[in-house]
Amino acid sequence: DVKVTQSSRYLVKRTGEKVFLECVQDMDHENMFWYRQDPGLGLRLIYFSYDVKMKEKGDIPEGYSVSREKKERFSLILESASTNQTSMYLCASSLHHSYEQYFGPGTRLTVT
Amino acid sequence: DQQVKQNSPSLSVQEGRISILNCDYTNSMFDYFLWYKKYPAEGPTFLISISSIKDKNEDGRFTVFLNKSAKHLSLHIVPSQPGDSAVYFCAASWAQGAQKLVFGQGTRLTINP
């Protein structure tokens, strides 16, 4: 069964902290994605990766960075958390030439 | 600029009736469309998709219709069941898009018994 896991379901951080969100998939997928979901805005792509050590900016990369050292793991980093980064963060993965993405359960991050 | 729009934030339907969720897009390059369903505290799950070479795709109770000239797609659920209550997102992609998806804002569907 396809599985994408995210390290935390809920996270509370202070403004200015460095935050790491981890995502692991067990399907040997080449593509991995990070989105944030906000009310009225849907899912917006932050970064994606189509191979180990490769990364591409999505639509809203400002304030974020990513790391993909292993095929199964894709990390999202908030260099200095701000209150406007309070959101639901969703990780997804897909096969190289497939449109169908599989999502993790999400991490609800609150920055105070 | 919202390239994929779901103009109805919410929809309420009686159990057993048809639910119709709508989605509009602006980018003519989009050639593949998907619908995802999301329950609270869970990630979205894939529901059904359609390629731009088709105008209809059916899977059980779910049918997606694509009108390319109007840049419009719709998801029909017949008959609607209480378990269909969720947020539905439409998404679009294109051949040169590296399998990226552009999502709409979502529509919250509530099925009333």
Side-chain angles (χ1 to χ4, degrees):
Chain A
D1 203 14
V2 163
K3 199 156 187 187
V4 179
T5 56
Q6 295 183 229
S7 51
S8 306
R9 296 300 299 270
Y10 300 93
L11 211 51
V12 180
K13 296 291 182 181
R14 292 197 179 276
T15 301
E17 277 192 83
K18 192 168 186 175
V19 182
F20 293 86
L21 301 181
E22 304 285 337
C23 175
V24 177
Q25 50 94 4
D26 65 358
M27 297 161 283
D28 203 33
H29 284 174
E30 290 83 8
N31 302 332
M32 295 189 75
F33 306 83
W34 275 107
Y35 296 88
R36 60 179 283 177
Q37 181 196 354
D38 299 290
L41 297 176
L43 280 70
R44 294 179 293 165
L45 182 64
I46 305 171
Y47 267 97
F48 68 102
S49 167
Y50 50 86
D51 202 352
V52 176
K53 298 196 186 293
M54 305 297 286
K55 61 185 179 184
E56 296 279 345
K57 292 181 180 178
D59 300 317
I60 51 165
E62 296 78 20
Y64 303 94
S65 63
V66 290
S67 172
R68 192 162 180 205
E69 297 296 320
K70 293 185 178 181
K71 189 176 184 180
E72 67 271 17
R73 188 179 296 269
F74 193 33
S75 303
L76 180 69
I77 303 152
L78 286 66
E79 299 290 343
S80 177
S82 64
T83 55
N84 62 13
Q85 292 178 310
T86 291
S87 186
M88 169 68 81
Y89 289 88
L90 291 159
C91 174
S93 71
S94 70
L95 286 167
H96 189 50
H97 292 295
S98 173
Y99 292 107
E100 185 180 337
Q101 295 181 14
Y102 295 84
F103 283 83
T107 296
R108 182 162 294 284
L109 172 68
T110 302
V111 183
T112 61
Chain B
D1 181 32
Q2 193 82 26
Q3 297 185 71
V4 178
K5 296 181 184 179
Q6 294 175 257
N7 293 316
S8 299
S10 63
L11 178 67
S12 187
V13 174
Q14 203 74 17
E15 182 179 358
R17 306 295 290 268
I18 184 170
S19 295
I20 300 176
L21 295 98
N22 293 303
C23 180
D24 297 295
Y25 62 96
T26 57
N27 191 337
S28 301
M29 298 293 290
F30 290 148
D31 57 12
Y32 200 83
F33 304 88
L34 306 89
W35 284 94
Y36 278 81
K37 175 179 179 178
K38 186 181 186 300
Y39 292 120
E42 294 183 15
T45 55
F46 170 75
L47 196 55
I48 192 169
S49 63
I50 188 167
S51 164
S52 61
I53 62 173
K54 295 186 175 182
D55 53 20
K56 176 182 173 181
N57 188 28
E58 194 170 349
D59 183 1
R61 296 185 299 115
F62 303 92
T63 303
V64 55
F65 294 92
L66 175 62
N67 183 333
K68 289 186 289 293
S69 60
K71 294 192 177 69
H72 177 83
L73 64 154
S74 60
L75 174 69
H76 293 211
I77 306 173
V78 182
S80 300
Q81 299 175 354
D84 297 329
S85 294
V87 177
Y88 289 78
F89 292 98
C90 70
S93 191
W94 65 108
Q96 286 74 38
Q99 284 72 50
K100 290 189 294 183
L101 297 178
V102 179
F103 283 85
Q105 306 97 310
T107 296
R108 181 177 301 277
L109 175 66
T110 303
I111 306 300
N112 302 306

